[in-house]
Structures are given as structure tokens and as C-alpha cells.
Amino acid sequence: MAQKQIYLDHAATTPVAPAVFRKMQPYFNQKYGNPSSIHGLGQTAAQAIEKARQQIAVFLNCLSEEIHFTAGATESDNWIIWGLVEKLRFQESINPHIITSAIEHKAILEPCQVLLKKGLIRLTILPVNSNGLVSLEDLKKAIKKDTRLVSIMYANSEIGTIQPISQIGQLIKKLNPKRKHPIIFHSDAVQAANYLDCSVDKLGLDSLSLSGHKVYGPKGVGLLYVKKGVKLSPLIRGGGQEKGVRSGTENVPGIIGLAEAVSRINQNNKELKKLRDKLITGVLRDINQVELNGSFKDRLPNNANFSFKGAEGESIVLSLSAKGVFTSTGSACASHSLSPSHVMLALGLSHEQAHASVRFTLGQQTTSQDIDYLLKILPGIIARLRKISGR
Amino acid sequence: MYNKKVLDHFQKPKNMGKLKNPDVVAEVGNMQCGDIMRLYIKVKDDKIKDISFETMGCVAAISTSSMITELAKGKTLAQASKITFQDVVGELGELPPVKMHCADLAVKALRKAIKKYQGNKD
């Protein structure tokens, strides 16, 4: 019998849902026209894209023209930052102040750091408390006269903590009428979209990033919602697609898949939460010297992240993998570097604790039996690694 | 990411655990990646008679620890001091570039243990 495979890495990526895959298929080789072509085949594709935009507008509760398709949320995050900074430099010749948090995805932090190094922005990086949450008070204090962008992720990819986005949105909405220049409020909602209300109006967002492959859609496609009236310079220039703001022939099958995936999001989190709580309770009960990283309360229903004293993350992940259970240390991207996760360090964890962290992210197919199997094998794996480490 | 030999040494490490009555215990660590490697050795007639390790670290750290104990066992102290990280990597087949420092850490641990033993003896 083939070894069973239990996928507990849904924050890294999700499988494309069969219904999504079916919707995408015709756009590869039947309705393959270029949406910019004026002939029938091209217009079929163009109409499909506009329909996709409308589907997503329902989910975000926004206008369809406020949605711009990209090659993924990394592009979307880069675009809001570079695009806004460039626009402001061009229109007002200023170097704006930007506020973000210490646990943002690198797609936010890296562009900010580069702009800071170039002297094109001033930057405040808000700390998080030991639960992984940004404080509204800290944000209030950080806002300056020339603050033009606040970027706070909706939910964290590593520890699943949910930031008080609607409270931040309210605060900014209240401040903006009194300001000479409004603050743009952006949120990377990649991890949140499956589980939390993404109605941009309710949240008070001016901008939001989404990714296809985290919501049972395809990889290589995402979107940036930008509220009407907010002007961004293009990040990618060329043929003037997406009304001139994002060039490049549209990824038609990807966009169709993204829209289908988004419209199928079912935020019934109860069952998932039950499984996650079973996992958390079981691990804390069966293994000693283990800590849950990040808030238990303000947390995505599918995320559990632990540090196991005396056992290193990669060793745990590969031991689990050998037994058919797929998990991750911090974020999958972090495996390109040796340094411990910036998210773990921001929580105040020591290097040793940060290196000992493992993330379990559940998904649609996760069953109670999967959790039973994990709870059966994990104590032995940790015990073996602790024996090797002598700790 | 890792080849079969590296994974084999990770799954079934050789010479793992504490050694009873060792002549020397040496510990080295890498602050950045968080690995800590501890070697225990017993010396007889200028030869490494017995050796074992305890390592808190990634797969590569555990595999290279296991490999260095295999390479060092039975060698004279002079021979063992000449083991390089290339020898360790070569025996394992290959390591991902970001993990090369693990082999280096294993070599440092062995050399530290030998130096410590020679220092104790004098």
C-alpha cells in the first residue's frame, strides 16, 4: 500500500479545486484568444475577464473596475508601494512616510526597505506584541503629517494571527477628512481571504492584495484592489492592458480560475476550527516543553504553529515528511535563507525557539483521522530529535 | 533538497548520544542558524577509539555530525585533525549550498575536541 499523504501546508499553497480546474480548461486551447484582439475569439476572452472581475467584485464588495489582475500577490504588494511612491514623487515631489508592521510578508517589507535605502521614503515598522498583534495605540502614535500609506496584513502566514483591520480602517477613515492628504490603507489579505470577511468597504480598505493559489485557485495569478480615486503609477509598463495600469497579456485561464475560486470561498470555519483545536490541544497534551506561537484567540481557523524545545524545525518537517505528513518551518519562502523567521523574532522568541518552530495549516480535505495520525507520530519524532540533540 | 545518503544519516545517525567516561567533550555552535554540535571522544594509543555526538540542528547538521564521527573513528589524532569539510561533504555526496557550513561546523567540533584533548594531556 502506498504511504498515506497528509497535506498540512495550506498556507504555502492549496490544490486547485476540481470545479476551478474545469472552468479554466477551455481558456487554454479553445477560447484561447488574446483579450486585446478585436475579433470574436479575442472578445470572448475579454468578456470572460470582465465577468471574472464582476464575480470578484461581489466577494470584495467593490466596483469591478477597482480590481486589477496581477501575476500574484507579491506583484500586488510591490505595486501598491512602488506605484504610490512613484506617483507621489511625480505629482508632489515628496518622499512620503509609510507605516507597516514587523510581521508583514517579505513582499511588503522588501520593497519598503529598498525604498528606504534609496532615500525615497521614511518608514515606521510597528512592533507586534508577544501574541503577534499590532497595537492601535502604536499606530496612532506613528502617524505623521506626511504619512501616505499604512500597510498591515490581514492575517499572518506563519502564525495565523488576525490583525484588527476594521479598527485600523475606522481610525484612518476618521483621521482622513482632517488631513491635507489622505492616508491610503492597504492590507495583504492573501492568508485571510479563505476565512475572513473581505468586504473592503466594511474594513475601510483603500487597497488589498489577493492570490489565487491560497484559495484553491491557480498559481501565478492575483489581484490588487485599488479604491476608485487612488492613483498609482504602473509597476509593469508595456501594451497598456488593464486600462493602462498593468501591461502584459492577461493570464486568461488564471483569471478565470481566480474568479471561480474566489466565488467558491465558503467561510464556514467551524469544522476547521474544531480540527485545529484538536491538533493544538493534542500537541500541548502529549508533548512537553512546547509552545504555541501567536495568539490562540485572534487566529485563523486553520493555523497552528509550535516551537518544540530541543528539536529543530527543518528536522521535524523532514521527519514528518518521511511519514507522509507535509508541514513547514515558518514560511516556505524562508527556506531560502538560514536566518530564523522575522515573524518569530518579532514575537520576541529566541533564535533557538524560532528555529524550533513548525507550522501546521489545515485545509478543506483535512480529516479528524489525519489529526489522529499526526498526534500519533509527532511525539516519537520530537523524542527522537531531542535524544539526538541531548536536550 | 537532500540526497538519500544525507537523509539516511539523518534517519539512522551513527554514533549518536552521550559517551560514557569520555576523555573530552567539545561543543561548537552557529549563532545565525542556531545549530549546536557536541562531540564526545575517547582516545587510546593516540587514536580515536570511540566518538559520539549530540546535535541540535537541521537535517544537514545531524547528517554531517554522524558522518564526521564515522570518518574520525579509528583514526590517529593527527589524521583526524586533517579531515576537511570537503571530506565530509564528499562522503555524503552533496549538500545544498546554504548547508555547507554544517559540514564546517562538524569539522570545527572535531578539531576543537582534539585540541582540547591535547591541551588536557600536556
Side-chain angles (χ1 to χ4, degrees):
Chain A
M1 197 183 83
Q3 192 186 31
K4 70 166 103 191
Q5 289 198 349
I6 297 175
Y7 185 76
L8 296 177
D9 201 13
H10 291 83
T13 195
T14 55
V16 174
V20 171
F21 187 48
R22 277 196 300 275
K23 279 265 171 169
M24 292 171 68
Q25 272 173 324
Y27 294 92
F28 284 103
N29 54 9
Q30 292 164 30
K31 305 177 184 179
Y32 54 84
N34 185 326
S36 295
S37 301
I38 58 173
H39 52 63
L41 203 57
Q43 288 310 295
T44 301
Q47 281 159 16
I49 287 182
E50 288 323 304
K51 198 176 153 226
R53 221 185 290 277
Q54 285 160 13
Q55 269 179 294
I56 294 167
V58 172
F59 177 75
L60 295 178
N61 200 11
C62 67
L63 303 171
S64 62
E65 68 201 68
E66 294 174 319
I67 292 164
H68 309 290
F69 295 114
T70 63
T74 291
E75 182 191 331
S76 304
D77 284 345
N78 269 267
W79 184 12
I80 182 70
I81 295 166
W82 287 96
L84 187 69
V85 169
E86 197 175 295
K87 194 79 188 172
L88 292 174
R89 284 174 55 75
F90 182 69
Q91 283 188 336
E92 302 175 31
S93 309
I94 58 153
N95 296 347
H97 175 238
I98 293 179
I99 300 172
T100 188
S101 87
I103 62 167
E104 294 299 301
H105 193 273
K106 294 278 184 182
I108 292 286
L109 288 175
E110 281 298 310
C112 284
Q113 295 291 5
V114 170
L115 286 165
L116 179 70
K117 263 188 212 148
K118 287 174 180 267
L120 300 179
I121 61 167
R122 287 180 310 115
L123 183 63
T124 301
I125 298 179
L126 299 175
V128 292
N129 64 16
S130 59
N131 275 329
L133 296 169
V134 167
S135 123
L136 219 57
E137 285 308 308
D138 286 350
L139 173 63
K140 263 187 218 167
K141 277 184 224 150
I143 292 175
K144 300 184 197 319
K145 237 184 197 167
D146 63 341
T147 303
R148 300 298 283 271
L149 178 68
V150 170
S151 179
I152 305 289
M153 75 194 328
Y154 201 165
N156 184 267
S157 54
E158 295 184 39
I159 50 177
T161 51
I162 302 166
Q163 302 300 335
I165 295 300
S166 65
Q167 284 167 271
I168 298 172
Q170 272 171 24
L171 170 74
I172 292 174
K173 251 189 194 166
K174 219 170 73 190
L175 293 175
N176 271 345
K178 296 177 229 157
R179 293 172 62 88
K180 192 169 169 210
H181 296 291
I183 298 167
I184 306 297
F185 181 29
H186 171 75
S187 186
D188 176 331
V190 166
Q191 297 290 342
N194 256 330
Y195 311 106
L196 306 175
D197 186 356
C198 284
S199 169
V200 285
D201 194 44
K202 232 191 266 176
L203 296 171
L205 287 169
D206 302 298
S207 168
L208 168 145
S209 302
L210 273 192
S211 167
H213 75 111
K214 310 283 193 189
V215 294
Y216 301 90
K219 295 172 181 64
V221 65
L223 66 84
L224 181 68
Y225 153 80
V226 184
K227 193 174 186 163
K228 206 174 166 181
V230 175
K231 297 274 178 267
L232 298 182
S233 292
L235 182 68
I236 294 178
R237 295 164 193 276
Q241 285 85 351
E242 294 286 285
K243 298 207 178 81
V245 293
R246 203 287 189 181
S247 292
T249 297
E250 295 86 343
N251 171 4
V252 184
I255 290 167
I256 302 305
L258 170 65
E260 185 62 22
V262 164
S263 63
R264 297 177 70 85
I265 288 175
N266 162 16
Q267 295 180 335
N268 185 355
N269 302 330
K270 234 170 107 190
E271 285 306 306
L272 203 53
K273 202 159 167 251
K274 231 193 249 168
L275 290 178
R276 184 207 63 186
D277 290 351
K278 176 178 170 168
L279 166 62
I280 293 178
T281 320
V283 166
L284 296 179
R285 180 193 59 216
D286 298 344
I287 301 174
N288 59 16
Q289 295 193 294
V290 50
E291 303 261 358
L292 178 73
N293 295 316
S295 164
F296 179 67
K297 194 174 117 267
D298 300 307
R299 188 180 199 104
L300 289 178
N302 77 323
N303 175 296
N305 186 311
F306 304 97
S307 287
F308 300 90
K309 192 174 189 304
E312 194 267 351
E314 185 198 272
S315 291
I316 300 169
V317 167
L318 288 186
S319 300
L320 283 167
S321 173
K323 292 191 183 299
V325 180
F326 303 140
T327 61
S328 146
T329 61
S331 76
C333 336
S335 56
H336 299 304
S337 90
L338 292 177
S339 309
S341 139
H342 68 287
V343 175
M344 295 301 154
L345 296 181
L347 291 180
L349 266 63
S350 68
H351 273 230
E352 191 182 338
Q353 287 170 311
H355 277 293
S357 73
V358 179
R359 176 185 76 184
F360 303 87
T361 44
L362 286 51
Q364 283 173 1
Q365 295 110 319
T366 310
T367 64
S368 194
Q369 287 76 27
D370 293 344
I371 305 300
D372 288 334
Y373 179 69
L374 172 65
L375 290 174
K376 200 175 94 189
I377 62 171
L378 189 58
I381 286 171
I382 301 298
R384 188 183 89 93
L385 292 173
R386 282 176 176 167
K387 204 174 157 207
I388 295 176
S389 76
R391 268 146 217 275
Chain B
M1 185 170 181
Y2 293 115
N3 71 20
K4 193 173 171 299
K5 195 157 185 191
V6 174
L7 289 173
D8 282 348
H9 273 271
F10 168 66
Q11 292 294 355
K12 295 189 181 89
K14 306 285 190 316
N15 310 308
M16 184 266 288
K18 288 181 177 58
L19 210 58
K20 256 192 187 169
N21 307 318
D23 291 316
V24 158
V25 184
E27 186 174 294
V28 293
N30 178 323
M31 275 305 290
Q32 197 204 3
C33 71
D35 292 347
I36 300 167
M37 223 175 257
R38 193 182 295 148
L39 284 185
Y40 298 79
I41 57 173
K42 262 187 180 174
V43 181
K44 199 179 176 191
D45 301 332
D46 208 41
K47 273 187 182 159
I48 296 180
K49 192 179 152 236
D50 212 349
I51 179 166
S52 74
F53 78 92
E54 287 179 326
T55 293
M56 156 81 190
C58 64
V59 171
I62 291 170
S63 298
T64 52
S65 304
S66 169
M67 182 51 78
I68 199 121
T69 60
E70 288 247 283
L71 289 176
K73 206 170 184 173
K75 288 210 165 65
T76 65
L77 294 178
Q79 285 167 334
S81 300
K82 283 187 193 135
I83 296 171
T84 64
F85 84 91
Q86 288 94 334
D87 296 334
V88 176
V89 175
E91 280 298 320
L92 286 170
E94 57 180 339
L95 275 183
V98 294
K99 300 289 187 180
M100 285 299 176
H101 70 282
C102 292
D104 194 45
L105 198 63
V107 169
K108 279 194 180 123
L110 179 61
R111 289 184 186 168
K112 188 173 176 182
I114 292 169
K115 264 208 177 129
K116 209 168 158 188
Y117 174 79
Q118 287 167 335
N120 286 349
K121 215 176 56 176
D122 293 340

